[in-house]
Amino acid sequence: MLNMNRLQIVKMSAGLLILLVMVGCQNSTDTLTTIKTQSKSSIELVASEYSVNMQFKGEGATQTKATENLALLLLDFEAWIKSQSLNMTAGMANVSGVYLYRQNETRKLTGYESSQEFIVSQMNFTEYQLLMSQGPLFKPDSMQLAGVVASQADKALARSTLIEDAFKLAKQKAEAMAKVAGLCELSVLDMSENVQDHARPRMMQMAMSAESVHQTESKQIMDLELNVTWGAYACD
């Protein structure tokens, strides 16, 4: 059973647009009036999966030397990743020249730089903390939290919660507007939803040590917009 305490509703707001369409005889109790509402709700989920991008660089007087220096730098890191059974895939690799620029002089080639990107993915929070504490010891040029994702089970439960909350709010306002307009027999004619989820990846500083590892689990935010068309008739 899912733990509902992991779902935290952090924000809810709604706007309401009323559109009255009259058909048939103006004074007839059979005249249908439509009411359109738009409501929004948000929920915050604890992330269960983390991905981190890392880049390493090696320098040398020649392209071959730069590549060799990078390979030496990666030996211990790749062995450590394997020992921890972490999932890592290689990204873009590049070798480029390093130039010295001086005013009023032609640029001068001073050496070469070889770079390799990696993404360490499918980590739980404990594995993420381990990587962020130990990763800087292998001297990467950069580390970036690429993404956080909540579990599919939590997202499915959150979606149901968002729909229920948004629908309750929409119904409350539709009933209030119907009462003011003297309308009865309120019913749903049509309903549509739009759900978006997002997180906030952060750049990590290379000065990070074991004491400065992020101790708080990241969150994924889900936003839902619910559009409902209601039908109602003039009260007898």
Side-chain angles (χ1 to χ4, degrees):
M1 179 178 293
L2 293 173
N3 186 357
M4 284 299 292
N5 291 331
R6 298 180 73 242
L7 305 182
Q8 305 171 32
I9 300 178
V10 296
K11 179 182 179 183
M12 183 175 294
S13 61
L16 181 68
L17 174 64
I18 299 297
L19 176 63
L20 303 180
V21 180
M22 308 301 293
V23 295
C25 299
Q26 186 174 1
N27 295 323
S28 172
T29 57
D30 292 332
T31 298
L32 176 67
T33 300
T34 60
I35 302 173
K36 293 186 177 181
T37 63
Q38 182 183 87
S39 55
K40 298 180 180 180
S41 59
S42 296
I43 200 167
E44 195 173 70
L45 305 176
V46 175
S48 61
E49 185 175 306
Y50 295 75
S51 298
V52 173
N53 284 337
M54 303 181 70
Q55 184 181 64
F56 292 82
K57 292 182 179 180
E59 297 181 350
T62 65
Q63 295 186 29
T64 300
K65 192 61 178 178
T67 302
E68 290 176 349
N69 289 338
L70 174 61
L72 289 174
L73 182 64
L74 293 176
L75 279 177
D76 290 340
F77 173 68
E78 292 177 325
W80 180 81
I81 288 290
K82 185 176 181 179
S83 71
Q84 300 301 318
S85 299
L86 296 178
N87 182 67
M88 184 176 76
T89 55
M92 184 173 65
N94 183 57
V95 179
S96 59
V98 178
Y99 295 89
L100 175 65
Y101 292 88
R102 290 179 177 173
Q103 189 174 6
N104 300 324
E105 292 184 12
T106 303
R107 68 176 185 174
K108 181 180 179 181
L109 178 66
T110 59
Y112 292 88
E113 180 180 85
S114 179
S115 63
Q116 175 68 60
E117 294 181 354
F118 295 97
I119 181 165
V120 186
S121 60
Q122 301 175 19
M123 293 181 292
N124 58 35
F125 184 58
T126 300
E127 291 170 332
Y128 161 72
Q129 284 187 304
L130 178 64
L131 177 64
M132 298 315 298
S133 65
Q134 299 300 307
L137 301 179
F138 299 100
K139 300 180 180 180
D141 187 68
S142 65
M143 295 179 69
Q144 179 183 9
L145 178 59
V148 295
V149 181
S151 70
Q152 291 301 315
D154 281 353
K155 290 173 71 173
L157 180 58
R159 188 186 188 98
S160 297
T161 301
L162 288 173
I163 293 174
E164 291 175 5
D165 292 338
F167 184 80
K168 287 178 182 178
L169 188 57
K171 185 177 180 181
Q172 290 174 0
K173 294 205 170 185
E175 289 175 342
M177 292 295 182
K179 182 178 181 180
V180 171
L183 300 172
C184 297
E185 300 180 42
L186 189 67
S187 62
V188 175
L189 300 179
D190 183 66
M191 184 165 56
S192 63
E193 62 178 276
N194 179 36
V195 178
Q196 295 183 335
D197 56 74
H198 55 92
R200 298 185 180 89
R202 294 159 292 182
M203 289 298 295
M204 306 301 174
Q205 295 181 353
M206 290 301 98
M208 182 178 294
S209 63
E211 290 76 22
S212 62
V213 173
H214 289 255
Q215 298 298 321
T216 303
E217 294 175 294
S218 294
K219 305 293 180 64
Q220 182 175 21
I221 299 172
M222 291 183 66
D223 298 315
L224 179 138
E225 181 179 278
L226 185 67
N227 296 288
V228 184
T229 299
W230 310 80
Y233 295 92
C235 298
D236 294 335

